[in-house]
Amino acid sequence: MIAIGCDHAGFDLKPHVISVLEELGLPYQDFGTFSTDSVDYPVYGARAAQAVASGQCEKGIVLCGTGVGISMAVSKIPGIRCVCCSDCYSAVMSRQHNDANMIALGARVVGSELAKMILRLWLTTDFQADRHARRVDLIGRLEKGESIE
Ligand code: RB5
């Protein structure tokens, strides 16, 4: 199950996101927003992120104008590793090396075709683990306030 969350600025990109999920046969849960009426991106980002953090959803896709604000917001939730992404290389690497479990796209930054290409890559690339697992574990320890020195 893939969680989707967006604000008003990301709303128009959502049908394109859903088209990729349908193409890949991935079920999704849409946590809103459901119109272009102005809303606060942390609210909708958090709804999607909490579903990922709880294990209800495997991954999450969040959308706002830049991808920046909503990625900052969801990354405050323990267990969330969100990449704010506008290129294909980062999409792949954020899965292979960082085990990103959420991706944020900026609807005012990327066109719909680039967004779809990024998502296809991000959704179909696996974490490589090995030495990268140690580094991701270190991120988790920072999140808990532990020293990693
Ligand atoms: C909304 O105007 C805009 O600030 C928001 O979508 C996002 O880009 C914030 O980072």
Side-chain angles (χ1 to χ4, degrees):
M1 185 71 70
I2 307 294
I4 305 175
C6 71
D7 74 354
H8 54 287
F11 178 75
D12 286 344
L13 189 58
K14 183 156 59 176
H16 300 284
V17 170
I18 290 172
S19 77
V20 171
L21 296 175
E22 288 175 345
E23 176 189 309
L24 296 175
L26 295 171
Y28 61 88
Q29 193 170 348
D30 186 349
F31 291 89
T33 189
F34 298 104
S35 78
T36 54
D37 294 346
S38 183
V39 293
D40 297 328
Y41 57 80
V43 173
Y44 294 90
R47 288 178 187 172
Q50 276 152 0
V52 176
S54 71
Q56 179 189 337
C57 291
E58 177 199 342
K59 292 187 181 104
I61 301 167
V62 285
L63 316 168
C64 70
T66 57
V68 173
I70 207 160
S71 68
M72 288 179 171
V74 301
S75 291
K76 296 296 179 192
I77 294 180
I80 297 301
R81 292 178 302 280
C82 183
V83 56
C84 179
C85 193
S86 53
D87 69 279
C88 293
Y89 182 76
S90 300
V92 170
M93 298 308 284
S94 71
R95 290 290 309 129
Q96 288 185 341
H97 286 196
N98 314 116
D99 199 18
N101 53 12
M102 295 194 76
I103 186 168
L105 298 169
R108 296 172 180 162
V109 178
V110 294
S112 58
E113 289 305 312
L114 177 56
K116 290 195 292 185
M117 191 176 286
I118 287 169
L119 283 179
R120 282 188 199 102
L121 288 166
W122 190 76
L123 288 163
T124 57
T125 301
D126 290 328
F127 181 42
Q128 283 180 341
D130 300 322
R131 67 186 186 280
H132 305 298
R134 183 178 69 247
R135 295 163 185 165
V136 171
D137 286 347
L138 289 172
I139 295 174
R141 287 177 55 191
L142 287 174
E143 193 173 72
K144 291 180 189 144
E146 294 176 13
S147 166
I148 58 171
E149 290 298 332

